Amino acid sequence: MVSALRYEARMEDVMKEVWSSRWLCLFIPAIVSTLGPMVLAASVKDVLADHAIGTDTQLAWQARLLKVEQAMARGDFTGAEALWREAYAAALKSRHWEGVIAAGDTYRALGARAGFRATSVAKARQAYLTALFRARSEGSLAGVLITAERFAELGDREVVEQCIRMAQKVAAQSRDPYAQEHLRAFTERWAASAQGIEDQELTP
């Protein structure tokens, strides 16, 4: 299911780029007739620059997280943590949820290997919260549900329930015909998992 959700997220990004391009093509004639060619040149330059920045920032956090993983593979945990800070900053700069979740995942892995698991989990939790609100702002059901999975892994049951309520609102506003199906599948899986946890807690 995670693969399907990630595919959905990628498709959402593609559609946003397509609609942005269509908007630009439709809006350029109006700018020309109203404001003139000099303002047009500045406007187009700004729009294209914004797309370029978005692409560059996406590549930036991915490249930096790769360096973190390489440092971890060498056993250079001090260097990996320094590189992770740069990667996290790049993910925040991207203004999207994907990079922030990836940064949180990487820091959890680093903490587990370097011996500061509790600290890494706390930091990852902060990253996931940031990703959650970004996903909600973008109207990304995939982002909200993937973030919910991360909180489930951390054992934050109350936060998972909040994520589900948030996902219900996002799904209700989504144009994706499979949004409710994705939400229902996650909710059922979470309910079964939560029941299993409760059963274990009640076992003497």
Side-chain angles (χ1 to χ4, degrees):
M1 177 182 173
V2 174
S3 298
L5 291 173
R6 288 177 177 169
Y7 174 77
E8 179 191 354
R10 296 293 179 267
M11 289 301 297
E12 287 181 359
D13 289 341
V14 170
M15 290 305 297
K16 287 178 182 178
E17 293 179 4
V18 170
W19 281 107
S20 296
S21 298
R22 290 181 179 177
W23 175 88
L24 181 61
C25 292
L26 292 172
F27 202 60
I28 283 176
I31 298 176
V32 173
S33 60
T34 306
L35 301 177
M38 292 184 64
V39 177
L40 167 64
S43 300
V44 173
K45 181 179 180 180
D46 289 341
V47 172
L48 294 178
D50 182 67
H51 282 289
I53 291 173
T55 301
D56 290 345
T57 54
Q58 289 293 98
L59 293 175
W61 65 257
Q62 293 175 18
R64 283 174 169 78
L65 284 181
L66 178 59
K67 291 181 179 179
V68 175
E69 293 173 357
Q70 292 171 342
M72 290 171 56
R74 297 192 302 268
D76 180 11
F77 300 128
T78 300
E81 187 169 11
L83 289 168
W84 180 85
R85 293 192 186 97
E86 296 179 3
Y88 187 52
L92 291 175
K93 187 177 179 181
S94 73
R95 295 179 292 181
H96 296 293
W97 58 268
E98 296 97 326
V100 184
I101 285 185
D105 292 345
T106 301
Y107 201 65
R108 285 171 60 192
L110 175 58
R113 294 189 59 182
F116 54 94
R117 183 186 298 272
T119 301
S120 69
V121 167
K123 188 68 174 180
R125 184 178 284 108
Q126 294 176 5
Y128 296 152
L129 282 172
T130 299
L132 175 63
F133 290 110
R134 287 187 174 190
R136 183 187 66 175
S137 177
E138 294 176 32
S140 172
L141 178 62
V144 174
L145 293 182
I146 290 174
T147 308
E149 288 188 345
R150 297 303 191 271
F151 283 115
E153 293 170 0
L154 297 180
D156 290 342
R157 297 170 63 181
E158 292 183 3
V159 181
V160 174
E161 295 295 338
Q162 292 176 3
C163 289
I164 291 174
R165 290 192 290 272
M166 191 179 295
Q168 290 170 343
K169 295 179 181 180
V170 173
Q173 298 173 354
S174 176
R175 295 181 179 179
D176 180 6
Y178 299 103
Q180 293 295 336
E181 181 179 339
H182 290 317
L183 176 58
R184 182 171 58 255
F186 176 86
T187 304
E188 291 175 353
R189 186 157 56 87
W190 165 246
S193 176
Q195 183 62 48
I197 293 173
E198 291 178 358
D199 292 341
Q200 290 179 1
E201 291 176 347
L202 294 174
T203 301

